[in-house]
Structures are given as structure tokens and as C-alpha cells.
Amino acid sequence: MPPDIFFAGPGLDRADALRGQPDEIAALAASPTARQLEWEFGLPAIDEQGRLRWGPVTDPELFLGLDGDEPRFSVIGPEAGDLRAQFNLLGHLSATEAPVFAAATSLASWHRRHGFCASCGAPSEIHRGGWGRRCTRCGTEHFPRVDPVVIMLAEHEGRVLLGRQPRFPPQRYSALAGFVEVGESLEAAVARELFEEAGVRAHSVRYVGSQPWPFPSSLMVACTALVDDPALVVDTTELEDARWFTRDDVAAALAGEDAASFVAPPPFAIAHSLLAHWLAA
Amino acid sequence: MPPDIFFAGPGLDRADALRGQPDEIAALAASPTARQLEWEFGLPAIDEQGRLRWGPVTDPELFLGLDGDEPRFSVIGPEAGDLRAQFNLLGHLSATEAPVFAAATSLASWHRRHGFCASCGAPSEIHRGGWGRRCTRCGTEHFPRVDPVVIMLAEHEGRVLLGRQPRFPPQRYSALAGFVEVGESLEAAVARELFEEAGVRAHSVRYVGSQPWPFPSSLMVACTALVDDPALVVDTTELEDARWFTRDDVAAALAGEDAASFVAPPPFAIAHSLLAHWLAA
């Protein structure tokens, strides 16, 4: 049974069949039940109940989909300021709204950074209700990037390997992670990243769950793997430290105990879900 | 236990730490054990034993990695001609060489189609031994795309749902598939695609395995899911047909029997591995 993972729910009906029909999208935008996502601090706005804030449709750049039969739109919001500060907001965001937050955030971010055709260099324009861009000169279609990332717990004799990046808050340790590359399976990426970052040879990779992570557009794929030789060679260009933690260490950290040997990642991070899954297994 | 999947092996040591060091890469390219991948018909060349063909280093555009301690390079090969015809070659490619074929094919294809900066429109140049491009004007770094795709078997009372695209060879049926979108987990993408393409509501999504698919740069993620109501509403803009097949149907098709009710996808396709996994479960 995969764990509960923030951002991973179903979200809106994306109504893919409508995206290619600009007239229908315009009619939806003019409907009385249509709403447009509000933005604040460079992210979709969240109210005090943790719900997304919706307002009247003024600039329906992105067709997010249907909530029941009610159309939902967004603008290409401004760039986020200090993402670290915004992360505090995520702790308040309702889990059922999180997938919509993720889709709008990633989509807007992609448009902001892809105003030109990578194939010929000419300006591109919004296409398919915001789910693509098309070159104004050569006509090439471009689609939003989704970048798969593996994030994994290597296990050795009942302990798990966690690492610490220099940018982490004090005492925080988390699962190692890295982008999947072309020509690589998820399983091969897990083994490569564990060897690159920690010098361990892993096998028996198992999938646990996945999460869209909208900063800007990762698809986090959480796995476990086994390691026979626990000797570590830490890549200090990536990690400040990496070490093996016991089940008791992990239980104390997830419970937020003051005496815990490390501070766990927050509940909206898939690393948290992965640790909880491992502890329960 | 995940199934054997073509293209999914470890491949070369990608030696990520060397990519940022142009002087070291130049020295590797000049070493007597360095080899450069040959290209033929717009794809890496395969010899009669199913092995990749390597020659002297003349134009080390892409640093593929190390085979033991022997450096391996590739050019940005020409665009493939008729991919359908090239697919016949894959049946001859050695499984241990397939991951290298996949990485070189995807990487070259990405460079061919990304000569300009999507952020400002200026020309970009090869960067990090071929594992990125950098804008010559604004300096933005770009990295090769990996596009995650879900491919899945929906199951209902011991039968599986397979579909047929108009471009398939005669009698071929295969697992339904589609690109994962931003703001979407793998599990959500499986459910969305099954509903969009076949009108079925799926649950209990389970991961089976993954495969890099280098035409041009997909990451295929194979899953199973359960369906309670088998009534189909086929999206005829995507599929020519979709229907439920029994275990006997699948066994006959995988065995290549003349009397089989459909023709299975070829062994190098993850759909084949997924069907074999389902049948063995």
C-alpha cells in the first residue's frame, strides 16, 4: 500500500479533449461559474482555511480544467520570491487542493522560462489552453517539462542512509535524490545516485510512491534499495554529511521529539512519506 | 520481482564528476583507449553480433562515460530516417549495450532540437561534456529532457485492457499509455489516461518497472491498475479499438501463436515485459 503523499491526489478534471478547442475554452472562460486562480508572493494564493483563492476571470491564460462542471483558469503568475519562505505556506495548504496548486505553479513557471522556441530561437506563444507553446516562426510545438527525480532510502541491516545538503535547516537529514537522466531506468538512476553521492553499491530497488513537486516541475519517485557494504564515501560537493540511522532514530525524528538525532523533512515532502513507509514496513 | 526490461540496464559509468571539467574530458578523448560511437541510418550503428560499433575519436561532442576506465564518446548523430524501419534493428541489439544506445540516441536527438535558448532565443552551445547546453547570451543552462510516460494494464476479473493505435502493424494490440503532466503523480496519470482513452475508472495502481525509451526521450513507467466497471468508451481520436483480453489470449500472443487473437508488442517494448509480468503473477 503506497503511503499518503502530498500533491499526489487527483486534482481537477484536466479535460484534455477541450484544450485543442480555443472557441470552447473562450466560452468556458465567459461562463458564470468560471473562476481564475489568484496569486500572491509569486505562488497561487492560499486562504486562512488552506484553500486556494479564486476570483473573477480577467485573463484566462491557462485552462487548468474543470471542478465538477465549473471551469478553472489561471494567469501565468509572477516569479516566486524567496521559495524557502513560501514553503511555510505549504504546511497550511489543504491536501485536496495541493494537486491544483502544483499544476498551476509548474505550468506558470514553465511559461515564464520558455518564451522562445528551442528549435529556431523565435518567440513562441501560448497554445492548447496553456498546456503547450507554439513557435510563431517554425510552428514547432513545445510541451511543459516534467523532470523525473529519484529519491531513495538505501537500507543496510535495518538502518537507512540519509544525507544533509548545506542549504538544509539545522539538523535536517533527508533521503538522497537526483535527476533521472536520458537512457536510464528509475532503478539504474537510484543505483547511480547512491554510488555518486555516498559511494554505496545498491541493489533490489523497490518503488514506493510518486509526487509532483512544483519547484519548478519535478516528478519525485520514491524508492528503497538494499546495500551490502555500508562503508560511505560522501560526495562533499553535493552533501555536507551522510550517515546511517536506526529505526529508533527515524521514529523519534518523525515524531518531532526534541531528543531526536535529526530533524525529519516536513510532512509535505515525499521524503517524509518515504521514511514513514519504511518505518511501518 | 520486476521483469527483465530492454534498455533498462546499468550501461556505462556516466562519470558525472568529470562532466564539469573540460580539460579532463579533452585528455580522456586523446587517450589511446578512447572510442567514439559510429552512426548509421540516423542511429548508433549496430554490428552483426548486435554490439555497438565504435571507431577512433574524431569529434568528441558528447562524453557518454567510461567503460571500465576506457572513455566513450559520441557525435551528435544525424536525424533518424524512417523510425519504423530502424525498429527492426532493435531486435538485434544486445541487451547489455541497449542502455548505451538509448543514452546516445536521446542525447543526440535533444541537441539537434535544442540549438536555441528557450529563455531568451539566442543560440546555445554544448556544455558539461554534452549533458547540457548553455546560452551564449544570457548564460541560462539547459538540461536534456526526460519525459515520463505511464503505460498500464487495467485489469477486470482476470482480463486486461489493450488498445490499438491506427499506426500499429496489423492485429497489434498493446497497453494504453500517455505522458505524465505537471502537477500529477504517476498514479494520477494512470487513472487519467485510462479514463480519457477508454472511459474506465481505475484504482489500486501498482508499479511494475521502468524503461528509458529513446524515441526521442521518454521514461516509460509500467503499472497495473484495477477496474470495477468494464464498460468502455473508447477515445477514437487516440485509439482505433480497445478491448478486454483473457489470460489465454495474452499467453497465445506472447508465444507468437498463429491463432492468437492479437499480435503482442515486440520483446524490446516494455508493454511486452508488462504483459509477461501480468501473466506470470
Side-chain angles (χ1 to χ4, degrees), chain A residues 74 159 220:
Chain A
S74 180
R159 295 186 301 163
M220 309 299 295

Side-chain angles (χ1 to χ4, degrees), chain B residues 207-240:
Chain B
Y207 173 87
V208 173
S210 69
Q211 176 191 52
W213 182 251
F215 307 105
S217 59
S218 295
L219 172 67
M220 309 298 294
V221 180
C223 297
T224 59
L226 300 181
V227 163
D228 297 329
D229 178 353
L232 300 177
V233 182
V234 177
D235 174 5
T236 54
T237 64
E238 295 273 340
L239 298 175
E240 195 172 272

